[in-house]
Amino acid sequence: MKTEEERRASAIERLEARRGFKTHLAAYVIVNATLVVIWALSGAGYFWPIWSILGWGIGVAFNAWAVYIQRPITEDAIRAQMRRGE
């Protein structure tokens, strides 16, 4: 069982990860919106911003998964792994 201090440290770590994700997402939206505006103002031919949107979007998706979906490793999981000896 985790102590109060360990639980607090874990909570702070999760909150910092969420804040970091929100910053990452904001940068993604602002930069890619700027690229779309540049594309539109330069003649709106081939939609080249798609490469940044898709490429960076994959990174944003993995970041979101790590922050909001993936669960922290538990002591039970650590003990089970140790018993398996892997």
Side-chain angles (χ1 to χ4, degrees):
M1 185 132 181
K2 287 186 176 184
T3 65
E4 182 70 22
E5 187 174 314
E6 290 170 327
R7 288 189 2 234
R8 178 178 168 76
S10 291
I12 290 170
E13 186 178 325
R14 287 190 308 273
L15 289 169
E16 286 174 345
R18 288 178 179 190
R19 179 180 290 172
F21 172 74
K22 289 174 185 173
T23 301
H24 185 192
L25 183 61
Y28 170 79
V29 169
I30 292 167
V31 169
N32 284 301
T34 302
L35 292 176
V36 170
V37 168
I38 292 169
W39 165 81
L41 293 175
S42 67
Y46 173 74
F47 189 65
W48 52 264
I50 192 68
W51 299 110
S52 172
I53 292 167
L54 291 177
W56 194 352
I58 291 169
V60 169
F62 277 112
N63 190 193
W65 178 77
V67 171
Y68 291 104
I69 298 171
Q70 189 177 36
R71 295 289 168 226
I73 297 172
T74 64
E75 283 299 320
D76 290 338
I78 293 168
R79 281 190 229 105
Q81 185 67 32
M82 290 170 65
R83 281 193 298 275
R84 286 192 295 269
E86 296 176 1

